[in-house]
C-alpha cells in the first residue's frame, strides 16, 4: 500500500459496510492490496488495526477542523 492509511481506510470502509459483523482480515487485506501477514505484522491483530483506525480517523478529523 502507499501508506498505513490505505489499510485504515480499507478497514473503515468494510467495518462501516458491515456494522453488524466485523470484516474478515482477508477481506481487509484484499481491499487494501496487502496480505493478512502484513496486517498482523503492522498491527498485531484485528483489535490493533481497529485502534489504529480510530486514531487515524480522529487525527484526520481534528486536522480537518482546524
Amino acid at each position: 500500500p502507499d501508506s498505513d492509511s490505505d489499510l485504515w481506510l480499507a478497514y473503515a470502509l468494510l467495518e462501516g459496510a458491515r456494522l453488524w459483523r466485523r470484516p474478515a482480515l482477508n477481506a481487509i487485506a484484499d481491499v487494501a492490496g496487502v496480505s493478512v501477514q502484513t496486517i498482523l505484522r503492522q498491527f498485531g491483530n484485528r483489535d490493533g488495526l481497529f485502534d489504529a483506525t480510530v486514531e487515524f480517523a480522529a487525527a484526520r478529523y481534528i486536522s480537518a477542523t482546524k
Side-chain angles (χ1 to χ4, degrees), residues 29-58:
D30 287 346
V31 171
V34 300
S35 69
V36 171
Q37 293 299 347
T38 297
I39 294 172
L40 296 175
R41 190 172 32 256
Q42 286 189 250
F43 302 101
N45 57 31
R46 182 194 323 267
D47 290 337
L49 177 58
F50 176 79
D51 292 345
T53 301
V54 170
E55 289 175 17
F56 171 76

